Amino acid sequence: MSTLSRTGTVTTDRAKPRRLPGVDGVWVAIGADSVIFAILFGSFMQARLHNPAVFEASRHTLNINLGGIDTLILLTSSWSVALGIQALKRDLVDRAPRYLLGGVLTGLMFMVSKSIEYFEKYTAGIAPATNDFYMWYFTLTGIHLLHVVFGTSLLAYLWIRSRRRAYSSLQRVVPECVASYWHLVDLLWIMIFPLLYLQKAA
Amino acid sequence: MSVLRERVTMVWLGLIVATCVTTWGLSKALFSPAVAVIGIFTIAAVKVSYVMLDFMELRCAPIPVRVAFQAWPVAVAAMILGFWFATPAVG
């Protein structure tokens, strides 16, 4: 798309200055968190390398349907929050709260789903100490769940503030920081789910 | 602002379809483990890439930052697949 400016020069979307949403510090934190999770994924694969039979047998006890539904929930949550940011950019400040509320509710849904899954494991007598696979399962999903709880709390804060019209196209740094973090939570789960639930043994 | 016309909505729909394909398609016994695992992690890397580009808005980020973040799903998927092929077969 191109536009004609008052001076008569044509500017295109490509000419728009490139920018990171929010503040740079959040992106440093997101990058650091991503690297930490990559190291955890590598450590999981190394542990699996030494005991593939136990990992495969244990993997079969996980609820793939719940894991898949969790992924759909987080993708929908990210989408809703992304729509909230788009609404703020266009100064549709009345619409932003409903999208942010969508993010909060889907975050809560993920927590409920994970609680059901943990309860299933607990009633089956499965704990982190059962074997290496379950230690990794509870560690990776547990750390991720903490990210979800933190992110949902931040989204709830944004929702409350946005209902008071605290944010707009000119005041959207905080919503952009929270949204970027929330999308990180989504993309981490996109990798954790196949790593733990779908990775068949050779 | 029509939600249906938003690019993020198209991306979300694609991600939902890809998730259904991997969760309830590729994970079934129809495919050999190697084909299934390569397919599942390739799709996961592509999904992460789209989340970064369109939800996190890295499409409009400075090029070095975009390249650095886009390397993450590629490196992670390659590492997982590398370990997978190095792991002895079960049974």
Side-chain angles (χ1 to χ4, degrees):
Chain A
M1 198 177 97
S2 59
T3 52
L4 194 62
S5 71
R6 245 187 279 176
T7 55
T9 54
V10 175
T11 59
T12 64
D13 286 345
R14 279 184 195 174
K16 282 181 186 172
R18 292 188 164 273
R19 69 175 285 272
L20 274 173
V23 294
D24 291 353
V26 164
W27 287 92
V28 172
I30 288 172
D33 214 21
S34 305
V35 170
I36 290 168
F37 267 92
I39 293 167
L40 289 174
F41 297 162
S43 304
F44 169 86
M45 290 304 293
Q46 196 173 26
R48 184 181 177 277
L49 181 74
H50 299 301
N51 215 344
V54 167
F55 275 61
E56 179 64 3
S58 304
R59 180 185 76 82
H60 280 287
T61 66
L62 300 186
N63 191 330
I64 289 180
N65 290 329
L66 265 185
I69 289 166
D70 286 347
T71 313
L72 299 180
I73 288 171
L74 281 188
L75 287 171
T76 305
S77 198
S78 257
W79 170 56
S80 188
V81 171
L83 286 173
I85 297 297
Q86 296 298 326
L88 286 178
K89 279 184 177 178
R90 292 166 196 174
D91 276 324
L92 300 168
V93 289
D94 291 335
R95 289 197 191 181
R98 77 179 74 155
Y99 295 127
L100 294 172
L101 179 61
V104 174
L105 295 178
T106 42
L108 291 172
M109 282 169 68
F110 185 90
M111 290 181 216
V112 170
S113 173
K114 265 286 151 282
S115 303
I116 292 169
E117 205 178 329
Y118 284 163
F119 185 72
E120 278 180 1
K121 296 288 161 289
Y122 173 75
T123 52
I126 294 168
T130 303
N131 64 33
D132 271 2
F133 176 86
Y134 292 117
M135 189 279 287
W136 277 107
Y137 163 76
F138 283 107
T139 300
L140 288 171
T141 59
I143 295 173
H144 181 264
L145 185 58
L146 288 177
H147 280 65
V148 173
V149 172
F150 182 56
T152 306
S153 307
L154 292 174
L155 286 173
Y157 169 78
L158 282 191
W159 172 59
I160 292 166
R161 297 267 299 149
S162 66
R163 290 186 69 198
R164 296 174 189 160
R165 296 175 155 261
Y167 307 119
S168 65
S169 64
L170 296 174
Q171 289 175 306
R172 57 174 211 270
V173 171
V174 175
E176 281 185 344
C177 289
V178 174
S180 300
Y181 170 80
W182 192 241
H183 300 315
L184 166 75
V185 173
D186 180 22
L187 72 83
L188 289 175
W189 181 256
I190 289 174
M191 278 294 174
I192 292 171
F193 172 54
L195 188 76
L196 293 172
Y197 295 69
L198 304 179
Q199 191 180 180
K200 291 177 182 178
Chain B
M1 177 180 154
S2 168
V3 172
L4 291 176
R5 288 183 187 171
E6 290 290 325
R7 181 179 168 87
V8 287
T9 301
M10 295 300 114
V11 171
W12 170 74
L13 274 174
L15 292 170
I16 293 290
V17 170
T19 300
C20 293
V21 167
T22 48
T23 309
W24 293 285
L26 280 171
S27 68
K28 304 298 174 200
L30 293 169
F31 304 94
S32 73
V35 169
V37 167
I38 290 171
I40 284 167
F41 283 102
T42 302
I43 290 174
V46 171
K47 282 164 68 181
V48 168
S49 191
Y50 272 97
V51 168
M52 286 178 166
L53 287 175
D54 293 299
F55 289 175
M56 296 175 109
E57 299 184 47
L58 283 180
R59 202 177 285 283
C60 303
I63 297 294
V65 179
R66 179 176 162 173
V67 169
F69 275 92
Q70 290 270 270
W72 188 87
V74 177
V76 167
M79 174 191 68
I80 291 170
L81 289 173
F83 268 111
W84 191 87
F85 280 101
T87 304
V90 172

